[in-house]
Amino acid sequence: MSKRVFNFGAGPAMLPTPVMERAQGEFLDYQGIGASVIEISHRSRQFGDIIAETSALLTELAGIPGNYRILYVHGGAQMQFAAVPLNLIARKPARKASYVVSGNFAGLAAREAARYGKIDASRSGAASNFDRIPEFDPATLDAGSSYFHITSNNTIYGTRWNDFPDTGSVPLVADMTSELLSRSIDFSRFGVVFASLQKNLGPAGLAVVIIREDLLGHALAETPSLLDYRACAEKNSLANTINTFAIYMMKLVLEWLRDEGGVAAIEQRNAAKAAMLYKVIDASDFYLGTAHADHRSHMNVTFRLADEKLLDEFLEQAACQGLYALRGHRNVGGARASIYNAMPSAGCEALADFMRHFERQRA
Ligand SMILES: *Cc1c(COP(=O)(O)O)cnc(C)c1O
């Protein structure tokens, strides 16, 4: 096989090599049909099995309670920025919702929601360039809100909620695109969790939505039927032709995760991987972490070089070592190592070694 790099890209992100090999091996002939998985009907028995097994695996791995439904919806996470208010904001006549603006995607979600109702986006991390999760005091919760929205892991800024807010009877909605299945989550705390696939779950273009059943059936009348959660649930996400390949890939990723020991095992491995990089950052004045130490993400490690002029050389030399796509997002600058479930420990070790080496060479 041709050489594969350690891919630190934020998304679409690397997938486990065994998953890619399996897909390659059965790409032309799925289970002896003589046709590819992308050439068979979304209503075929074989694809019916794929989507059912994907949901069963997700339920088992994530520990999703029985009163939740799993939906697959076109358009990635940002389509959910519209679908969430369309489906939930009319739960209460005031059409209000609260958004914690902890980063770029949270801000985009709040802005999209404002097309459908009154949005309280006053809890914001903008003042410190989103280097931490804004404080949340439950006493300030507006019980009249239809829902409370957070972004559990902030992909661009490299921060995460360690503990999730207790929002009482107001359903908690979380964009978990960049960390679903990377850590154990008590789903009963959430009304809706959604994630597009291209960080931890598969290829781009689709979102998985995990929704508590009592939240179905509140959609605004003008909601496109393909975005109506109740209609999706009733039609088992097959109202029209779903992205069959993405769901097939997600199934392979989930099987891989199960074989790796499941979420509890990968969570430990992820913590150790992140610690390798934060250790290098904390041991030096050459690298500066951009996220507050108490709010650091285990998925996206963001840092700058104290001497910013060295960044391009850092990135070029890293690329020569097979350490790919480390440039940070333009909102933060510097470098970002996205180390989702599929990144092996060896990738983080290689990056930590390179960082120490580059520092010795240039400091
Ligand atoms: C990547 C990302 C998105 C964007 O997802 P799309 O599928 O491109 O719409 C949204 N939210 C978070 C937290 C992300 O990391």
Side-chain angles (χ1 to χ4, degrees), residues 271-317:
K273 279 156 50 185
M276 280 188 227
L277 302 180
Y278 288 125
K279 191 171 152 206
V280 178
I281 292 166
D282 289 339
S284 99
D285 305 322
F286 187 82
Y287 300 109
L288 307 169
T290 60
H292 189 285
D294 294 340
H295 300 247
R296 283 169 164 174
S297 168
H298 290 192
M299 295 284 100
N300 310 97
V301 176
T302 51
F303 57 96
R304 293 189 293 111
L305 276 66
D307 180 355
E308 307 220 338
K309 292 191 301 297
L310 291 176
L311 178 65
D312 284 340
E313 192 186 339
F314 173 85
L315 296 171
E316 273 163 36
Q317 281 198 27

Side-chain angles (χ1 to χ4, degrees), residues 6-332:
F6 287 124
N7 184 350
F8 294 93
M14 68 176 292
L15 293 177
T17 302
V19 166
M20 301 295 273
E21 286 170 342
R22 167 105 185 261
Q24 185 182 44
E26 60 190 22
F27 191 64
L28 290 180
D29 181 6
Y30 184 71
Q31 292 194 346
I33 307 172
S36 174
V37 67
I38 66 168
E39 298 173 311
I40 61 173
S41 170
H42 56 298
R43 306 200 187 281
S44 62
R45 178 179 57 74
Q46 287 85 355
F47 184 73
D49 289 348
I50 289 173
I51 194 166
E53 283 165 31
T54 306
S55 296
L57 275 164
L58 181 60
T59 302
E60 174 199 324
L61 286 165
I64 299 170
N67 59 328
Y68 286 71
R69 297 294 299 265
I70 296 171
L71 316 174
Y72 304 89
V73 187
H74 302 280
Q78 295 207 45
M79 191 69 94
Q80 294 311 306
F81 295 177
V84 164
L86 281 165
N87 280 279
L88 296 185
I89 206 148
R91 278 184 67 247
K92 295 190 178 161
R95 291 199 187 182
K96 291 190 291 184
S98 301
Y99 279 68
V100 180
V101 182
S102 56
N104 177 67
F105 291 114
L108 292 174
R111 204 181 319 154
E112 186 72 16
R115 304 177 61 182
Y116 306 104
K118 282 200 270 317
I119 302 304
D120 172 10
S122 57
R123 297 176 188 87
S124 168
S128 61
N129 198 30
F130 304 109
D131 70 341
R132 68 199 69 191
I133 301 293
E135 291 207 9
F136 169 69
D137 173 2
T140 63
L141 185 76
D142 177 358
S145 274
S146 289
Y147 62 91
F148 190 95
H149 180 285
I150 63 168
T151 308
S152 68
N153 182 80
N154 297 283
T155 320
I156 290 174
Y157 297 94
T159 62
R160 75 164 193 179
W161 290 78
N162 291 308
D163 303 308
F164 297 112
D166 183 356
T167 54
S169 63
V170 178
L172 182 58
V173 174
D175 176 358
M176 292 201 186
T177 293
S178 49
E179 68 164 11
L180 187 63
L181 292 177
S182 72
R183 64 194 278 202
S184 306
I185 299 286
D186 175 3
F187 276 87
S188 69
R189 302 269 312 270
F190 295 87
V192 178
V193 166
F194 64 87
S196 50
L197 304 195
Q198 71 272 17
K199 277 62 189 262
N200 251 333
L201 303 171
L206 207 60
V208 60
V209 178
I210 302 159
I211 180 167
R212 213 174 60 212
E213 269 166 357
D214 64 284
L215 297 175
L216 298 168
H218 300 282
L220 292 169
E222 61 268 35
T223 304
S225 32
L226 289 176
L227 294 183
D228 181 326
Y229 290 156
R230 183 168 63 183
C232 288
E234 281 169 359
K235 301 206 160 80
N236 194 21
S237 303
L238 294 176
N240 76 329
T241 316
I242 197 75
N243 183 339
T244 53
F245 183 67
I247 294 176
Y248 158 77
M249 289 298 288
M250 178 169 161
K251 174 174 153 314
L252 299 189
V253 170
L254 296 181
E255 286 170 352
W256 169 83
L257 180 57
R258 180 194 57 200
D259 296 345
E260 293 291 304
V263 172
I266 209 89
E267 180 172 19
Q268 280 190 6
R269 191 199 293 176
N270 287 335
K273 279 156 50 185
M276 280 188 227
L277 302 180
Y278 288 125
K279 191 171 152 206
V280 178
I281 292 166
D282 289 339
S284 99
D285 305 322
F286 187 82
Y287 300 109
L288 307 169
T290 60
H292 189 285
D294 294 340
H295 300 247
R296 283 169 164 174
S297 168
H298 290 192
M299 295 284 100
N300 310 97
V301 176
T302 51
F303 57 96
R304 293 189 293 111
L305 276 66
D307 180 355
E308 307 220 338
K309 292 191 301 297
L310 291 176
L311 178 65
D312 284 340
E313 192 186 339
F314 173 85
L315 296 171
E316 273 163 36
Q317 281 198 27
C320 291
Q321 306 290 317
L323 306 169
Y324 174 75
L326 281 164
R327 187 178 292 280
H329 189 277
R330 61 189 176 280
N331 292 6
V332 186

